[in-house]
Amino acid sequence: MNFHLDKLLNFPNITVESCSQQTNEVYLKLCLLNEEVSCPHCEKLSSEIHQDRPILIRDLSIFGQTTYLKVPRRQFYCHDCQCYFTEVLSFADKGRCYTQRYEESIYQQVKLSSIEQVSRVEGLSFDRIQGIFKHQYTQKKKQDRKKLNELASMKLDGKKNFAPFMNSH
Ligand SMILES: [Zn+2]
């Protein structure tokens, strides 16, 4: 739709189809440009869309307005495995209704203030903010473990090499 909006959105292979506004809320309808997705079982590419149901994903606010992305949730069919699978989105974790950058921002805000405070600012319930915080915390632990394993397999000598990764969050 609009080159500038696509650039601001900053997700690869995704374009903003339309933009609408309600009281202090912005809705961006996205269009996924990749026609093929690789099957999680056999990794072969499939372009056969079985279902396409849009979902709302909350993203970082634009100019102080609560922002939602209308994202096509595409289910593909793999002929080789004879199974249906849902496309993995590059910008949101599986089963989450927030972008990764939104969840990261919530995580950092909670660390600086409190769940109650962030809950008020973002207009989300305590439980939701806590849920995002816990999810991010778990993701970060996983990433740390992965980094440590990678480092260990590179056989780096001396414990000091691990320090920056241990204290990065
Ligand atoms: Zn397959």
Side-chain angles (χ1 to χ4, degrees), residues 5-138:
L5 267 181
D6 289 355
K7 204 152 169 66
L8 286 170
L9 182 74
N10 199 21
F11 291 148
N13 273 328
I14 296 174
T15 184
V16 179
E17 205 174 286
S18 62
C19 171
S20 59
Q21 260 175 314
Q22 283 173 21
T23 320
N24 214 32
E25 285 178 352
V26 175
Y27 292 85
L28 298 178
K29 190 174 181 225
L30 305 189
C31 179
L32 309 177
L33 298 174
N34 57 314
E35 287 173 359
E36 291 182 318
V37 167
S38 77
C39 165
H41 310 288
C42 68
E43 290 180 1
K44 278 194 186 131
L45 291 172
S46 168
S47 59
E48 195 176 319
I49 294 177
H50 171 63
Q51 268 183 357
D52 185 348
R53 290 195 186 129
I55 52 164
L56 274 188
I57 291 187
R58 184 152 172 185
D59 201 352
L60 294 169
S61 297
I62 299 177
F63 301 129
Q65 299 166 86
T66 305
T67 301
Y68 295 95
L69 309 175
K70 283 183 191 171
V71 184
R73 209 67 193 93
R74 303 190 298 184
Q75 198 181 44
F76 286 81
Y77 182 72
C78 174
H79 277 285
D80 285 53
C81 304
Q82 298 192 334
C83 71
Y84 300 99
F85 62 94
T86 305
E87 180 177 19
V88 176
L89 299 170
S90 60
F91 54 87
D93 291 342
K94 200 180 163 196
R96 308 295 299 170
C97 52
Y98 315 98
T99 59
Q100 283 154 357
R101 61 191 176 196
Y102 182 72
E103 294 200 306
E104 172 68 29
S105 149
I106 295 293
Y107 179 80
Q108 298 300 343
Q109 285 182 64
V110 169
K111 274 173 63 175
L112 291 170
S113 57
S114 66
I115 294 179
E116 289 88 351
Q117 175 70 14
V118 178
S119 162
R120 268 195 299 275
V121 172
E122 296 295 321
L124 284 172
S125 70
F126 183 96
D127 288 350
R128 281 183 174 262
I129 297 292
Q130 191 177 44
I132 293 172
F133 188 83
K134 281 183 178 167
H135 175 72
Q136 277 295 301
Y137 183 80
T138 316

